[in-house]
Amino acid sequence: MTESKRAATVRDVARLAGVSPGTVSKALNGVGQLSPDTRARVHEAAAALDFQPNHSARSLASGRTFTVGVITSDSFGRFTIPVMLGIEDSLAAGRVSTMLCDGRGDPVRENQLLERLINRQVDGVVVTGRRRDPRPSLGEVPVPVIYVLSESLDPADLSLTYDDRQGTELAAHHLLSTGRRSLAYVGGPERHLASRLRREGVERALAAQGLELDPDLALYGQWSETWGRSAATIVLRSGHSVDGIVCASDQIARGVLDGLRELDVQVPHDIAVVGFDNWEVMVEGARPLLTTVDPHLESLGREAATRLLSAIQGDEPLEGGVITRGCELIIRDSA
Amino acid sequence: MTESKRAATVRDVARLAGVSPGTVSKALNGVGQLSPDTRARVHEAAAALDFQPNHSARSLASGRTFTVGVITSDSFGRFTIPVMLGIEDSLAAGRVSTMLCDGRGDPVRENQLLERLINRQVDGVVVTGRRRDPRPSLGEVPVPVIYVLSESLDPADLSLTYDDRQGTELAAHHLLSTGRRSLAYVGGPERHLASRLRREGVERALAAQGLELDPDLALYGQWSETWGRSAATIVLRSGHSVDGIVCASDQIARGVLDGLRELDVQVPHDIAVVGFDNWEVMVEGARPLLTTVDPHLESLGREAATRLLSAIQGDEPLEGGVITRGCELIIRDSA
DNA sequence: GAAACTTACGAAACCGGTTTCCGTCTGTGT
DNA sequence: ACACAGACGGAAACCGGTTTCGTAAGTTTC
C-alpha cells in the first residue's frame, strides 16, 4: 500500500501542479502571497500524489521537530502513566509526538537523556516523576521545560503539581461533616513530602472545627498494604475511640480496611476510611468500595502539555513558579 | 551550560581540524580512507567543540532516524509498561529512541499513528497491546514491524509472545508435585484467548498424571478480585474436595485468597493457590504471599527490540511466525 | 502615460550532515 | 626516468523541505 516506489517530494508535487517547489511549500503551509487558484491546484496535486512532507527535512529547515521529550524519573509507574496519557492526548491534537525516556531516577542518566533530546532538537521537555518531593532542576536548557508532579527545586522553573494538603483536607472535612469527631491519619514514610503534606491537610480540616490531630494518631510507615494492616491494629489499640481514618494512599487504605475487617470493625459504620490516589485496581478490590481522593493526574498531564505547547509556539519562555491544582474527593462506600 | 551561542556544526569542526567537512563526517563515522593522524585530529576538534551532529540533518541525509515507534493498543496499562521498559532498555544501548503512541484500541487511530510514524521515517515499529488475542496486522509497512503480546493475525508478520499454556501447566504441575490431587481453574472471560489457553495448561498438567479437570471446576468470569471472591465460594460449594486452585491472574487469585480466608479455609494448608502475572502490587498485598507465574514481559520487550534492531541493521526483513517464550513459576507462600 | 504600489510566483540559498567522485601525492616496479 | 597503483582528502552534489529576495505583471494614483 505505502509502497509506491518512493514517497512523493515537494518537487513532484510542483511538477504536477506546474509551479515551483517553493510555491508548493508556501501553498501547503498557508504562508506567502499566493492566488487562491494556485493554492488549490497545489493542494489538489498534493492529494493526488498522497504527498507527505518528509519530517527530517522539515525539521532541518525549520528548526522545529514537532516532538517533545518526556523524561520520567519513575519507570513509567502508576503515577507517570496517567500523566503520560494526558500529555499524549493534548499533544496529539497538535500533531506533536512524544519521545519517552526513562531516567531510572539516576541524575547522570537523566542528563544523558536530556543531551540526547536536545541533540534531537525536541521542541520542549516534560519532566515527571513518581515522587512529590522536589527534584533538582535540569538547569539551563535551550527549550521550554515543564516539571510535573515532582516540582523543580529551582523557582525559575515552571512546575505543575497537585495539592496534597487540600486533598486530605477534603477527605477529613468530609469525615467531619458526616459526624465523625476523632480522626486518625495513616501516612507513608515521614521523609516523603507527600506524607507530611497530607497530614497537614487533615490537621487543617480538624483545626477548622476547633479539633486537632492527636500525635498518637498520626502514623508514618510505608506505602504498602502491609503497613496499612498494621496501622489498623495500632489505631485500635491506641485507646482512642477513632471513628475516621484518612490514609495517604489507596494501598494503605486497603490494608487498613483489611485490618479493620479482621478485627471485626464495621466500615463505614464504626470507622470511616478514606484513601488517596483513586487507583482503580485498589479501589475496586477494596471492600467496601473505597472513598478516595483523586489528584486528577491525567488532566495535570494535559495541562502541562498545553502550557508547553503554547510556550513553544509563542516563543516566550515559561514563567517560573509552582502551579498547584486541587484534588477531588470521590465518595464511594467506605466513608 | 548548553548555551554557547549556537551548536557546533561539522564545518566548525572542519575548520578547527584544518580539514574539509566531508572528511569530518568520514572521520567521525569511521568510514572512508583517512590517515590515523587526521582521524585523531578530527576527533580532538570535535571533542573540543563538544560537537553533536544534528539529528535531523543526519536523518535526512542517511535515511535513518535511529528512532523506533511503539504503538500500543492498551493505554500503557500494566502489561505494556514492562514491555516498554524492556524495549527502552535494549534500544537505549544502540542510541535509538522510542516514540510512543497510544492507539486506544481504535484501529483507525492506530493507522493514523502508523502513518505518522512512517512519515517521521522511523526505522522500525513495535506493536503491543494488553490482550493476548490475535490482532489485525498493520499490513504492508516499509519498515520492519514486530508484534509483542498480541500476535498478528497475519502469519507473515513476526510476533513475540509468552506461552500461556506452559505457564499454567507449570503452576498445575507444581501443585500436583506437592501432593495436590483435585485442582480447580478460575479464569477470566471465556472469550479471551488467554483464559482458554491457561485452562488448557492446567488440563495438560493433569493429563500428564492421568487426571483431568472437572468441568464444574473450570470457571470463567472476569479479570477482577470480585470475581475471584465469588469463584472461591463457587469452588467450595461445588461439592468437590478441591485442594489446589490455579487462577488466570493475580487479581483473581487475590480475590480467591480473600474469599477462602473468609470461609475459614487455610491457604496453603487446605487449598493451595497460584496466580498469573507476578504483578508486584497484587502479590505483595496478598496473604499469604502469592505464588504465581511470571511471563517475563520485560525480557519479551528486550528481545523484541533486539530483533527489530538487527532487522533494521541487517536490512533483511523479519521472517514471519509466532515466537513463544516460556513463563517461570515464582514460588512464595500460597502454594 | 509615467511613477508608485501590489500581487503572485520563481530562483536560489540554506538547514547540516553524508557520500560520491576525482585529483594529488607518495611509493613501487621496470 | 616513466608508468601505475593505492592511499588520502577535498569539492560538490545531494537529502527534501523552507525562506529570502527579486522581478514581472497588474493595479492604482496623479
Side-chain angles (χ1 to χ4, degrees), chain A residues 154-213:
Chain A
D154 184 343
D157 294 324
L158 176 60
S159 307
L160 186 59
T161 187
Y162 58 84
D163 192 338
D164 287 280
R165 226 171 309 172
Q166 174 264 355
T168 47
E169 189 174 355
L170 221 51
H173 178 78
H174 171 70
L175 293 179
L176 295 171
S177 72
T178 52
R180 316 285 169 170
R181 308 308 293 166
S182 174
L183 305 189
Y185 167 72
V186 181
E190 184 165 10
R191 67 174 188 286
H192 285 184
L193 179 61
S195 281
R196 302 194 301 273
L197 290 176
R198 290 174 194 180
R199 171 185 173 158
E200 285 177 31
V202 175
E203 288 172 339
R204 279 219 303 231
L206 283 165
Q209 310 276 324
L211 300 171
E212 57 182 30
L213 181 61

Side-chain angles (χ1 to χ4, degrees), chain A:
Chain A
M1 189 159 277
T2 327
E3 278 290 46
S4 50
K5 220 77 252 161
R6 205 177 46 77
T9 75
V10 66
R11 335 241 166 205
D12 298 328
V13 177
R15 200 173 316 121
L16 183 58
V19 296
S20 76
T23 303
V24 171
S25 173
K26 288 170 205 156
L28 262 24
N29 292 312
V31 299
Q33 308 259 48
L34 262 19
S35 77
D37 176 56
T38 307
R39 229 173 259 281
R41 271 214 325 287
V42 171
H43 274 101
E44 233 169 83
L49 292 158
D50 189 28
F51 170 72
Q52 300 281 110
N54 176 303
H55 193 83
S56 307
R58 181 195 285 249
S59 310
L60 178 57
S62 69
R64 282 202 51 187
T65 51
F66 291 88
T67 302
V68 316
V70 178
I71 298 182
T72 164
S73 67
D74 179 25
S75 297
F76 319 131
R78 163 164 48 106
F79 302 102
T80 317
I81 296 156
V83 174
M84 271 295 306
L85 283 176
I87 293 173
E88 256 258 313
D89 191 45
S90 163
L91 290 182
R95 304 191 51 72
V96 172
S97 300
T98 64
M99 196 148 257
L100 194 51
C101 312
D102 175 16
R104 312 267 157 104
D106 174 2
V108 176
R109 198 179 138 89
E110 231 167 50
N111 260 322
Q112 289 173 351
L113 290 173
L114 181 64
E115 285 287 330
R116 213 143 100 192
L117 289 175
I118 297 303
N119 171 240
R120 278 173 182 259
Q121 316 257 107
V122 294
D123 297 331
V125 175
V126 179
V127 179
T128 180
R130 167 177 38 194
R131 296 287 211 71
R132 268 295 276 111
D133 298 71
R135 47 152 294 141
S137 170
L138 289 180
E140 281 284 322
V141 178
V143 294
V145 179
I146 185 167
Y147 296 77
V148 188
L149 295 194
S150 309
E151 64 197 67
S152 166
L153 279 167
D154 184 343
D157 294 324
L158 176 60
S159 307
L160 186 59
T161 187
Y162 58 84
D163 192 338
D164 287 280
R165 226 171 309 172
Q166 174 264 355
T168 47
E169 189 174 355
L170 221 51
H173 178 78
H174 171 70
L175 293 179
L176 295 171
S177 72
T178 52
R180 316 285 169 170
R181 308 308 293 166
S182 174
L183 305 189
Y185 167 72
V186 181
E190 184 165 10
R191 67 174 188 286
H192 285 184
L193 179 61
S195 281
R196 302 194 301 273
L197 290 176
R198 290 174 194 180
R199 171 185 173 158
E200 285 177 31
V202 175
E203 288 172 339
R204 279 219 303 231
L206 283 165
Q209 310 276 324
L211 300 171
E212 57 182 30
L213 181 61
D214 190 303
D216 289 358
L217 296 177
L219 274 30
Y220 289 112
Q222 307 304 131
W223 296 113
S224 71
E225 288 189 57
T226 309
W227 159 239
R229 287 197 291 263
S230 317
T233 310
I234 298 175
V235 167
L236 285 192
R237 297 223 177 116
S238 70
H240 298 73
S241 59
V242 168
D243 55 8
I245 303 181
V246 176
C247 304
S249 83
D250 286 347
Q251 275 189 85
I252 293 174
R254 204 165 159 190
V256 166
L257 287 179
D258 284 351
L260 292 177
R261 182 168 343 98
E262 239 150 75
L263 297 163
D264 282 323
V265 175
Q266 298 293 319
V267 175
H269 183 270
D270 303 331
I271 299 186
V273 176
V274 187
F276 201 111
D277 286 342
N278 196 24
W279 185 15
E280 202 181 322
V281 194
M282 283 296 136
V283 162
E284 271 189 359
R287 273 172 312 160
L289 257 39
L290 194 59
T291 291
T292 189
V293 175
D294 189 332
H296 287 314
L297 299 180
E298 188 164 341
S299 66
L300 227 45
R302 238 191 315 264
E303 181 175 353
T306 309
R307 281 177 178 272
L308 190 62
L309 229 46
S310 70
I312 291 169
Q313 273 147 10
D315 268 21
E316 355 101 351
L318 294 165
E319 57 181 304
V322 178
I323 298 177
T324 308
R325 294 286 169 233
C327 303
E328 184 190 4
L329 183 68
I330 310 287
I331 297 175
R332 294 203 184 81
D333 304 336
S334 71

Side-chain angles (χ1 to χ4, degrees), chain B residues 251-271:
Chain B
Q251 273 188 86
I252 293 175
R254 192 152 173 201
V256 167
L257 287 179
D258 283 351
L260 292 177
R261 182 166 344 99
E262 239 150 75
L263 298 162
D264 282 323
V265 174
Q266 298 293 319
V267 175
H269 184 269
D270 304 330
I271 299 185

Side-chain angles (χ1 to χ4, degrees), chain B residues 61-81:
Chain B
S62 69
R64 284 202 49 188
T65 51
F66 291 88
T67 303
V68 316
V70 178
I71 299 182
T72 164
S73 66
D74 178 26
S75 298
F76 319 131
R78 165 164 48 104
F79 302 103
T80 316
I81 295 157

